[in-house]
């Protein structure tokens, strides 16, 4: 079953703008992760945020986590054409490495 | 660093034919291995995971099976494919350093 639901399902922005994607989940979690998938390829791990963390940065990525609202957001700043991909959140409810993935946000960066 | 090899990249099989997808891992030993399936435009569904040789756990009832004959080899099989088995199959290993998955490049299976 799907634990996470990303919003929006699709997003198109101009190169250089910031892109924000949201993820909502249903049960308590040990950690939440974000992945990127280029068309027809495997997923690439971007960032992990633990349940006791509220914000995390990695390069142009900023992830926030609000456990009271069971939601997370992924912000990509100064977007580039190479950021065009689908982005998935995944939750690890029990810290046992079995992830449940959301349905993804398809991001298109317009040059 | 650990890497995952998956093959073939694409596969077209008739209904009722058998299936064997292979995943091998390098750069680590005794990994936890996972098979996921992704339907078109959807998220990933966990099919099987393995914590060691011969140890397979199935997450959903289905027409598929998995085996782990060697520490770094994970195989997804079917005796008779159904149309509903079409999808993008991904093998993954848990990266204990980064606390996330490393995925293979996937196999796109089309059952016709």
């Amino acid at each position: 079953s799907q634990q996470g639901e990303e919003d929006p399902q699709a997003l198109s922005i101009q190169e250089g703008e910031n892109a924000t994607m949201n993820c909502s989940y249903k049960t308590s979690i040990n950690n939440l992760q974000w992945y990127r998938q280029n068309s027809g390829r495997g997923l690439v791990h971007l960032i992990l945020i633990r349940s006791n963390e509220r914000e995390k940065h990695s390069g142009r990525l900023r992830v926030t986590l609000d456990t009271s609202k069971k939601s997370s957001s992924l912000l990509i700043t100064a977007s580039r054409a190479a950021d065009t991909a689908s982005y998935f959140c995944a939750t690890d409810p029990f810290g046992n490495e079995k992830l449940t993935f959301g349905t993804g946000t398809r991001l298109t960066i317009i040059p | 660093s650990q890497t995952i090899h998956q093959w073939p990249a694409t596969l077209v099989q008739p209904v009722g034919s058998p299936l064997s997808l292979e995943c091998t891992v390098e750069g680590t030993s005794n990994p936890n291995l996972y098979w996921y399936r992704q339907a078109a435009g959807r998220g990933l569904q966990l099919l099987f995971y393995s914590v060691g040789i011969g140890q397979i756990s199935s997450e959903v009832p289905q027409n598929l099976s998995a085996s782990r004959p060697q520490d770094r080899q994970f195989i997804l099989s079917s005796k008779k494919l159904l149309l509903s088995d079409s999808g993008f199959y991904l093998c993954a290993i848990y990266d204990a350093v980064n606390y996330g998955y490393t995925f293979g490049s996937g196999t796109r299976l089309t059952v016709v």
Side-chain angles (χ1 to χ4, degrees), chain A residues 26-38:
Chain A
K26 298 175 183 175
T27 66
S28 60
I29 59 171
N30 177 279
N31 66 72
L32 184 144
Q33 305 175 29
W34 285 90
Y35 288 80
R36 181 186 72 230
Q37 183 181 34
N38 291 92

Side-chain angles (χ1 to χ4, degrees), chain B residues 21-22 45 49 53 65 79 106:
Chain B
L21 301 181
E22 189 161 344
Q45 180 185 37
Y49 72 96
I53 296 174
S65 62
K79 292 182 180 178

Side-chain angles (χ1 to χ4, degrees), chain A residues 11-91:
Chain A
L11 177 64
S12 292
I13 61 172
Q14 293 291 133
E15 191 169 18
E17 293 180 340
N18 296 340
T20 300
M21 290 158 273
N22 303 295
C23 168
S24 59
Y25 56 92
K26 298 175 183 175
T27 66
S28 60
I29 59 171
N30 177 279
N31 66 72
L32 184 144
Q33 305 175 29
W34 285 90
Y35 288 80
R36 181 186 72 230
Q37 183 181 34
N38 291 92
S39 181
R41 306 295 298 276
L43 282 72
V44 174
H45 182 247
L46 295 176
I47 195 167
L48 176 149
I49 187 165
R50 300 190 183 284
S51 59
N52 61 352
E53 298 176 306
R54 292 295 167 260
E55 186 171 313
K56 204 162 183 180
H57 297 256
S58 177
R60 294 184 295 114
L61 304 180
R62 172 178 169 253
V63 170
T64 62
L65 179 65
D66 186 335
T67 53
S68 66
K69 296 181 179 178
K70 291 187 170 58
S71 67
S72 173
S73 67
L74 172 66
L75 168 68
I76 304 175
T77 60
S79 63
R80 305 168 182 169
D83 294 329
T84 294
S86 292
Y87 292 81
F88 295 87
C89 68
T91 54

Side-chain angles (χ1 to χ4, degrees), chain B residues 6-111:
Chain B
Q6 257 190 269
W7 66 91
T10 60
L11 191 60
V12 180
Q13 292 283 103
V15 170
S17 65
L19 172 74
S20 180
L21 301 181
E22 189 161 344
C23 168
T24 59
V25 178
E26 292 180 356
T28 187
S29 59
N30 196 31
N32 289 350
L33 296 171
Y34 303 82
W35 276 113
Y36 279 85
R37 177 171 61 201
Q38 184 179 29
R42 301 292 302 277
L44 279 70
Q45 180 185 37
L46 178 61
L47 302 177
F48 300 95
Y49 72 96
S50 172
V51 299
I53 296 174
Q55 300 179 62
I56 308 294
S57 295
S58 173
E59 289 296 298
V60 293
Q62 60 198 302
N63 183 45
L64 302 169
S65 62
S67 62
R68 186 169 176 177
Q70 299 180 46
D71 181 46
R72 285 172 272 187
Q73 183 185 31
F74 203 20
I75 298 172
L76 185 69
S77 304
S78 173
K79 292 182 180 178
K80 289 185 177 182
L81 284 169
L82 306 172
L83 287 175
S84 58
D85 292 324
S86 293
F88 191 47
Y89 289 84
L90 290 155
C91 181
I93 181 173
Y94 186 75
D95 184 341
V97 174
N98 296 312
Y99 297 99
Y101 282 173
T102 297
F103 282 89
S105 53
T107 294
R108 184 162 305 283
L109 171 67
T110 303
V111 182

